[in-house]
Amino acid sequence: MAIDDPVRAADTRTETEQEAAEAARTGRPSTWSALRPLLLRLHFYAGLLIAPLLLIAATSGLLYALSFQAEKIIYSHELEVPVGDRALPLSEQVEAARKANPDGTVTAVWPSAEDGATTRVLMADPDVEEGKSLAVFVDPYTAEVRGRLPSYGSSGALPLRTWLDELHRDLHLGDLGRNYSELAASWLWVVALGGLLLWLGRRRSATRRLFVPERGPKSRRRTLSWHGTVGLWAVAGLLILSATGLTWSKYAGENIDAVRGQLGGATPTVSASIGGDTGASEHEGHGGGHHTPAPKGPDVGIDKAVEAARAVGVDGQLSVVLPSEGKGYVVKETDATFPVHLDSAAIDPADGKVMDTLRFADYPLLAQLTRFGIDAHMGVFLGLFNQLALAALALALILLIVWGYRMWWLRRPTKERTFGVGRPVARGAWRKIPVTALLPLAAVTALIGWFIPMLGISLLVFLAGDIALGLVARARAKA
C-alpha cells in the first residue's frame, strides 16, 4: 500500500520503492518483497468480498455477547425468586413442573445453583420445536411455577439469546444459512493473519507506530494506522474465534472431528448404561426434540441420585439427566467459569449406587482445549469478562471492516473517474516468487483448501473470476 501523506523523510518512500532499492542493492528481490504483492492482492479480494459476511457475523456476535446480561433483565421473573428459609426436595419441584405441563416429559433438571435462583425443569414437549426443550421455572422454596420458556443448548439459552444465536449461526435459514457462517469463519483467520504479516512487514521510523495509531488530520494514512494497530491487538482473539467457529461448521467441522479422533482428543463421556456399555452423550437431555421412555422398575429418585453424586465430589452447579431405557441418572457439573467444574457421575436408578465417574482433569488435553475454546466462543468460559471480551472483539472486527472499506474508497482515482473505486495490486505477483517458495506455498494452499472446503472452493472462485477479468482487460487493450 502506498503512503499518501508522508510525515517524515524515513516514511516518504512507498513500500514498492523500498523494495526496489533493496533489490537493486542485493541484485535480487527478497522473499518477502516477492510475497508481499501476492498477499496484498489476496487481502484485498478477501477483505472486499468476504467482509460483508464478516460484518454480519460480527454484528450478530456483538448482540449475542450482550444478550447474556439482557436475559437476566428480561426474564428476571422466571430466573429469580425471593430467598426462602429452606429449599424443597427436587422431587417436589419436578412434580410441580409436571402438574403445570402434563403433556411434557421431563428429560433433565437444573437445580437452583444459588440463593434466589429458580430450578429449571427441562421437558420434551410436543409444542416446542425439535432441537429445543421447554424449560419450566420452579421456585425451589415454594414449588411455585414461575413461568415456561423454550430453552436451547447446554448453556440454556432462552428465546432472546436463542434467536440471536441462530441469527449468528445461520441467519434463520437453516442448513443453507450455515454456509454463510462457515465461509466467514473459513476466511477470518486468512484475513487476520494476512493483515498481521502486512502490518509487521511495513517499514516504519519508530516501533511505537506498530502498536499505537497515528494522530493527525484525517487521511488514508491515519485510517491505515488505526486499521493496522487495532488489528494487531485483536488478531489473537480473531484467530480463536475463527478456529472455534470452524469446529461447529458442517464441512470443515467433520474434518476437525476426524483429526481430533485420530489424535485421541475426542471428548469422553461418562458411562451411564445400566449394562455397563457405551456411556451417554455429553449433551443428552439438553436438546429436547425426542426422549427415550423412562425405564420401568425401582427408582431411588432424583434426590438420592444427586446425593450420591455429591458424595463422590460432583457438586455445585449441576444438570441432572433423568434415566431413560437402559440408562441411569447422569449428574454433571456445568460451571464453565474458570476454574471449571465439569465432572460427572452416572447413578444406577435401582439402588442409587455410582456406576461411573468422569473427571474433567482426566480429559485428553486436546479435548480440554477444545472445550475451553468452544465455551469461550459461547461466552460462558469466564462469565461476564468473557462476554465483554467477545463484545470488544466483535466491535473491533466491525471497525476493521469499516476502515478497510474506507481505505478502498479513498484510493479511488477521483480526478479521472468520479465514481471510481480502489484497485487491487497488479496481477502476476506470483511470477516473482522463487520456485523454491512457490511450490511449497501452492501445496500448503491446496491442503488447507481441501481441509477447509468452503475456503478452497471460494478461493478457486476468486481465482477464476480474477483470470476472467484479466482476459477481458487484455482483450480491451488489444481492441
Side-chain angles (χ1 to χ4, degrees):
M1 293 182 181
I3 298 175
D4 298 332
D5 50 339
V7 178
R8 298 184 180 182
D11 291 330
T12 56
R13 294 186 302 172
T14 65
E15 297 291 327
T16 302
E17 291 171 341
Q18 293 170 349
E19 290 158 4
E22 178 70 14
R25 185 178 66 83
T26 61
R28 58 183 175 80
S30 66
T31 302
W32 169 245
S33 64
L35 281 174
R36 183 177 175 276
L38 181 63
L39 191 58
L40 271 171
R41 192 168 181 84
L42 177 65
H43 193 69
F44 174 88
Y45 272 125
L48 189 65
L49 302 176
I50 301 298
L53 301 182
L54 291 174
L55 185 60
I56 294 171
T59 304
S60 58
L62 173 62
L63 295 174
Y64 173 81
L66 300 177
S67 68
F68 284 86
Q69 302 307 313
E71 274 192 342
K72 294 180 180 180
I73 299 173
I74 295 172
Y75 305 116
S76 59
H77 178 76
E78 288 82 4
L79 297 172
E80 300 173 4
V81 293
V83 178
D85 296 331
R86 181 182 65 87
L88 298 173
L90 279 175
S91 56
E92 292 187 25
Q93 300 177 50
V94 172
E95 186 59 28
R98 283 196 176 106
K99 289 180 179 179
N101 198 66
D103 294 332
T105 302
V106 179
T107 58
V109 179
W110 295 8
S112 173
E114 58 186 8
D115 292 341
T118 54
T119 291
R120 192 177 303 196
V121 180
L122 300 182
M123 291 183 161
D125 188 277
D127 295 330
V128 176
E129 64 181 288
E130 186 176 359
K132 296 182 176 67
S133 297
L134 178 68
V136 181
F137 298 87
V138 181
D139 186 329
Y141 308 106
T142 65
E144 174 195 358
V145 172
R146 302 278 293 184
R148 292 173 287 185
L149 294 169
S151 175
Y152 173 74
S154 58
S155 67
L158 298 178
L160 172 65
R161 185 152 56 96
T162 299
W163 192 90
L164 291 172
D165 175 61
E166 292 174 349
L167 176 67
H168 180 68
R169 184 174 66 250
D170 58 24
L171 302 178
H172 296 280
L173 297 175
D175 288 340
L176 177 63
R178 289 184 64 185
N179 293 327
Y180 120 82
S181 58
E182 181 165 359
L183 192 59
S186 298
W187 276 98
L188 177 57
W189 69 274
V190 178
V191 176
L193 279 182
L196 175 65
L197 292 175
L198 290 171
W199 185 243
L200 294 177
R202 289 181 62 82
R203 304 289 182 88
R204 46 181 59 84
S205 60
T207 306
R208 179 177 179 274
R209 295 189 177 185
L210 181 67
F211 303 99
V212 180
E214 297 180 15
R215 298 180 180 179
K218 292 182 179 180
S219 64
R220 182 177 174 275
R221 176 186 178 87
R222 193 179 77 166
T223 302
L224 173 61
S225 177
W226 278 94
H227 183 83
T229 52
V230 171
L232 177 66
W233 287 108
V235 66
L238 295 178
L239 292 177
I240 292 174
L241 288 180
S242 177
T244 52
L246 286 173
T247 61
W248 281 310
S249 63
K250 183 176 181 180
Y251 302 108
E254 293 179 356
N255 292 333
I256 292 172
D257 287 342
V259 171
R260 285 179 56 205
Q262 291 293 326
L263 296 177
T267 302
T269 55
V270 67
S271 178
S273 294
I274 296 175
D277 297 326
T278 304
S281 166
E282 178 97 348
H283 300 288
E284 184 179 355
H286 285 182
H290 68 275
H291 177 65
T292 305
K296 298 178 181 179
D299 187 343
V300 296
I302 188 172
D303 294 288
K304 291 289 185 181
V306 171
E307 182 181 338
R310 285 174 173 161
V312 294
V314 179
D315 202 354
Q317 184 175 312
L318 299 176
S319 168
V320 185
V321 180
L322 269 60
S324 56
E325 189 65 38
K327 307 284 186 180
Y329 286 96
V330 177
V331 183
K332 297 177 287 187
E333 295 176 340
T334 58
D335 183 6
T337 57
F338 191 81
V340 301
H341 298 91
L342 299 172
D343 298 343
S344 56
I347 312 298
D348 191 332
D351 54 19
K353 292 182 178 179
V354 176
M355 300 187 294
D356 187 32
T357 58
L358 177 63
R359 308 295 178 183
F360 184 72
D362 296 330
Y363 279 33
L365 177 60
L366 186 56
Q368 290 183 346
L369 294 176
T370 300
R371 180 63 191 255
F372 289 149
I374 290 176
D375 284 350
H377 193 118
M378 292 173 60
V380 298
F381 178 42
L382 298 173
L384 179 59
F385 175 81
N386 191 170
Q387 295 148 27
L388 292 176
L390 284 178
L393 276 175
L395 182 59
L397 183 55
I398 292 171
L399 292 174
L400 289 171
I401 293 169
V402 171
W403 287 327
Y405 275 117
R406 173 172 169 76
M407 287 188 293
W408 171 63
W409 179 249
L410 289 175
R411 287 182 62 188
R412 72 193 190 281
T414 53
K415 292 182 180 180
E416 293 81 7
R417 293 186 301 166
T418 305
F419 297 102
V421 294
R423 298 176 180 176
V425 175
R427 295 182 179 86
W430 63 272
R431 298 189 186 96
K432 300 178 182 179
I433 302 175
V435 176
T436 54
L438 182 60
L439 292 180
L441 179 62
V444 171
T445 301
L447 179 62
I448 293 175
W450 169 82
F451 190 77
I452 309 177
M454 294 296 285
L455 175 63
I457 294 171
S458 56
L459 182 58
L460 288 176
V461 172
F462 286 175
L463 291 175
D466 198 35
I467 292 172
L469 290 174
L471 293 175
V472 171
R474 287 183 184 179
R476 288 179 177 177
K478 291 179 180 180

